[in-house]
Amino acid sequence: MKNNKKAFEEACEFIAGGVDSPVRAFASVGSNPLFIKQGKGAYITDIEDNIYIDYVQSWGPLLFGHCDEDIEKACKKALKNGSSFGAPTLAETKLAKFILQDWEHLDKIRFVSSGTEATMSAIRLARGYTKKDKIIKFEGCYHGHSDSLLVSAGSGAATFNTPSSLGVLEDVAKNTLVAIYNDIDSVKNLVEKDTNIACIIIEPIAGNMGLVPAKIEFLQELRKICDQYEILLIFDEVMSGFRASYLGSFGINQIKADIVTFGKVIGGGMPAAAFAARAEIMDLLSPLGGVYQAGTLSGNPLAMAAGYANVKKARACENLYENLEKLGSRLMQGFKEAANECGIALQVNNIGSMFGFFFCENPVYNYQDALKSDTKLFAKFHTQMLSKGIYLAPSQFETGFICECMDKKIIDKTIQAAHESFKAL
Ligand SMILES: *Cc1c(COP(=O)(O)O)cnc(C)c1O
């Protein structure tokens, strides 16, 4: 079967919606998804043998592009010894030690298999530690698909306590309060009214409503509020960790959260994620403490090997994030100039290896701002770019990723494709 459309039709017969994660379906850009057979460095090849520059990079994990040799070697070596034991391995301690060495405020970590598990577990831990019930999240932030976090998760109106999904009970959603990103008063209003708040969870660099960095003063204020009201602050760095900078948001603003979640890059393309905090909090986890959390494949040897190879390389690579940020800036400035030349308003952001753009008139600081984007125009742009060999995330509300295999030539080719695409709109 060498046809993307046919492959999707067949997948739809056997897999719900034809995909194992909704945004892959290309529904929001009104086309069919590509079926990928191979990747190499900055490029992916679909089953029709079309080659694309890949700005999705598996939604973040592949900092060094597809089929990175070091990751491949590490995985092969690990696989030879067995794929899973459900018993401790040295690989887990090695990766834990390696990650924690740079975070003075994080003493211990626990590995899981997905970002969803990491944030879900972090929240249970925060509730266990504070013995309080409610959580605050921000409209437009995505923290995976566990029930209590599927509230105003990059969807719908700014209503409080409204589940983003069928099957999430109002009874669960009522314990999730929703504040406005970059708006400290919206947080103050909630914490002043309610003494039962266990934690505030935030993407300190939001990447799931498009790319919207938090203002530093806003994060500083959050830290203060949490200290004042004995609320735990959770930074969800599943995307931004090892992406915005090696140390994610912390590497940029040195603001210390009580619990930090990781994912994506720490698995190097294999399923691994983690949450970490100071010992006093982490020691509440079972078997030491009363907060239960577990996983058959947690700390899986292949995932640990791939993750270690990825973060080790990132840490050793001099000026990696500066160089990626330069490429990101070049790309976004190029997009903006090209759009403006064609009379199209475009807002752009980039930080480290992450970039994002919105088809709207004004700068985007929160989800409501992001929602002002012209998603129909985005869909047309996406289709245009795809036809020119540029693979962008199929939604206005996603972040793009630069990988280490990209260079000025690739970026300039992309800008040129964007210019032609804007003209065609
Ligand atoms: C991707 C992501 C998650 C969820 O991770 P999964 O591995 O897809 O479950 C959670 N939080 C943030 C910020 C993410 O970007």
Side-chain angles (χ1 to χ4, degrees), residues 114-116 142-144 203 208 236 238-239 264:
S114 70
T116 295
Y142 178 70
H143 306 289
E203 289 180 77
N208 287 292
D236 180 358
V238 167
M239 184 189 291
K264 299 191 168 111

Side-chain angles (χ1 to χ4, degrees), residues 108-368:
K108 293 186 188 180
I109 196 165
R110 186 168 274 183
F111 292 108
V112 291
S113 300
S114 70
T116 295
E117 278 180 87
T119 56
M120 180 183 77
S121 307
I123 280 172
R124 186 178 305 139
L125 186 55
R127 283 175 165 152
Y129 179 81
T130 59
K131 303 209 167 54
K132 293 191 274 185
D133 299 333
K134 295 187 187 173
I135 67 172
I136 293 178
K137 79 176 283 290
F138 293 86
E139 194 190 10
C141 280
Y142 178 70
H143 306 289
H145 63 91
S146 71
D147 282 6
S148 58
L149 290 167
L150 271 188
V151 178
S152 291
S155 83
T159 27
F160 281 21
N161 309 336
T162 308
S164 298
S165 166
L166 289 176
V168 173
L169 304 179
E170 293 288 345
D171 233 26
V172 171
K174 74 174 189 218
N175 288 309
T176 301
L177 310 179
V178 181
I180 299 166
Y181 204 75
N182 276 323
D183 178 348
I184 202 68
D185 289 335
S186 74
V187 181
K188 281 185 184 156
N189 285 341
L190 294 174
V191 298
E192 278 163 10
K193 273 197 299 236
D194 203 322
T195 54
N196 194 18
I197 294 165
C199 63
I200 298 178
I201 184 168
I202 187 167
E203 289 180 77
I205 296 166
N208 287 292
M209 49 174 140
L211 179 61
V212 184
K215 294 175 188 159
I216 291 183
E217 312 81 66
F218 171 70
L219 294 177
Q220 285 165 338
E221 285 293 315
L222 269 189
R223 181 64 275 177
K224 272 192 218 153
I225 287 176
C226 286
D227 290 340
Q228 190 185 342
Y229 291 90
E230 293 178 6
I231 294 169
L232 291 190
L233 181 59
I234 304 176
F235 277 179
D236 180 358
E237 300 236 41
V238 167
M239 184 189 291
S240 54
F242 310 93
R243 265 288 172 191
S245 79
Y246 180 76
L247 296 179
S249 161
F250 177 63
I252 293 164
N253 54 43
Q254 282 76 49
I255 298 168
K256 295 173 181 170
D258 298 297
I259 306 179
V260 181
T261 58
F262 302 104
K264 299 191 168 111
V265 169
I266 71 157
M270 298 289 281
F275 57 105
R278 55 185 185 271
E280 164 205 18
I281 299 174
M282 290 304 278
D283 288 347
L284 272 183
L285 284 172
S286 181
L288 293 181
V291 177
Y292 196 71
Q293 190 280 328
T296 301
L297 293 175
S298 290
N300 173 269
L302 289 182
M304 294 296 100
Y308 182 72
N310 212 21
V311 296
K312 187 177 165 212
K313 195 164 170 168
R315 193 172 189 273
C317 199
E318 227 177 295
N319 298 327
L320 172 66
Y321 295 91
E322 288 82 352
N323 292 337
L324 294 175
E325 185 158 310
K326 271 185 208 147
L327 292 177
S329 298
R330 189 181 180 94
L331 184 68
M332 286 300 93
Q333 282 317 309
F335 270 35
K336 194 171 172 72
E337 280 162 27
N340 292 352
E341 227 175 87
C342 301
I344 294 168
L346 198 74
Q347 302 301 322
V348 297
N349 278 326
N350 74 287
I351 180 162
S353 61
M354 303 160 72
F355 70 87
F357 53 94
F358 296 97
F359 285 91
C360 62
E361 299 278 344
N362 297 309
V364 174
Y365 298 112
N366 59 44
Y367 189 53
Q368 291 305 315

